[in-house]
Amino acid sequence: NAGVTQTPKFRVLKTGQSMTLLCAQDMNHEYMYWYRQDPGMGLRLIHYSVGEGTTAKGEVPDGYNVSRLKKQNFLLGLESAAPSQTSVYFCASLGRGNQPQHFGDGTRLSIL
Amino acid sequence: GENVEQHPSTLSVQEGDSAVIKCTYSDSASNYFPWYKQELGKRPQLIIDIRSNVGEKKDQRIAVTLNKTAKHFSLHITETQPEDSAVYFCAASPADSSYKLIFGSGTRLLVRP
């Protein structure tokens, strides 16, 4: 039981490049989330999903897209990376009616 | 929507002293309040949580208190140890979307040996 697994752990991109961050959970959780963490700003919700095939916008969705084609996976895409998207990205999952959220180890993304 | 404010942003205490971190929330209907600890370079991990039907909860050296009338909750750490040094986040779960968490901005706690 690995919990929540994020890949990759680190990535450096050039402005304008695209990439996809993968989050996988093996707890059969209904809900999944993508957050970004910036110094002094806590964790801000980018997008979330309440179930397979559904996604919704969080607090800071601009510049990101997501997909949840399989219940266990939640993908975060950057179509055209910008330096403002340099951050640490955390994925989390939650079972139905069963707080708390469980976090992955994070992906440190730098955009030059 | 829900808004969570957390204070102080940094806190330095002597080993053995107590530490208190405070959070306020805006949505009076919020009903779940977790606290997460994040060590440097690691994932946030739940250390304690409280629901709105309870005023206080303790787990060894850690306690959380909730004042629903004033819409604030606090984390209390007694007999602090160097390994308590980390960033602590509070969060609140809005009643109309209980699967979400709105996080405070974090408190960096330093315990001086």
Side-chain angles (χ1 to χ4, degrees), chain A residues 2-59:
Chain A
V4 180
T5 303
Q6 292 182 233
T7 53
K9 296 188 184 307
F10 305 95
R11 186 72 184 267
V12 178
L13 290 178
K14 293 181 180 179
T15 297
Q17 287 185 318
S18 63
M19 80 161 295
T20 300
L21 281 64
L22 172 63
C23 177
Q25 53 94 4
D26 60 3
M27 297 173 283
N28 200 34
H29 282 173
E30 293 293 329
Y31 305 100
M32 296 187 75
Y33 311 83
W34 277 107
Y35 294 91
R36 61 178 288 172
Q37 184 176 32
D38 302 294
M41 301 188 75
L43 291 150
R44 293 183 293 168
L45 184 63
I46 305 171
H47 286 281
Y48 64 97
S49 169
V50 301
E52 181 179 326
T54 71
T55 63
K57 294 180 180 180
E59 302 170 71

Side-chain angles (χ1 to χ4, degrees), chain B residues 33-97:
Chain B
F33 307 92
W35 285 90
Y36 285 82
K37 175 183 180 182
Q38 186 180 29
E39 297 177 351
L40 189 62
K42 300 290 181 69
R43 70 177 73 182
Q45 292 197 301
L46 180 79
I47 55 172
I48 195 166
D49 55 11
I50 192 167
R51 297 191 181 273
S52 57
N53 58 347
V54 176
E56 183 176 7
K57 184 177 179 181
K58 287 184 178 180
D59 183 2
Q60 300 184 334
R61 297 187 295 108
I62 293 173
V64 56
T65 58
L66 172 64
N67 184 326
K68 289 173 58 179
T69 303
K71 292 188 287 186
H72 68 69
F73 57 112
S74 300
L75 178 70
H76 304 253
I77 306 174
T78 59
E79 301 173 18
T80 53
Q81 301 167 3
E83 52 264 39
D84 293 329
S85 296
V87 178
Y88 292 81
F89 292 98
C90 64
S93 183
D96 62 352
S97 48

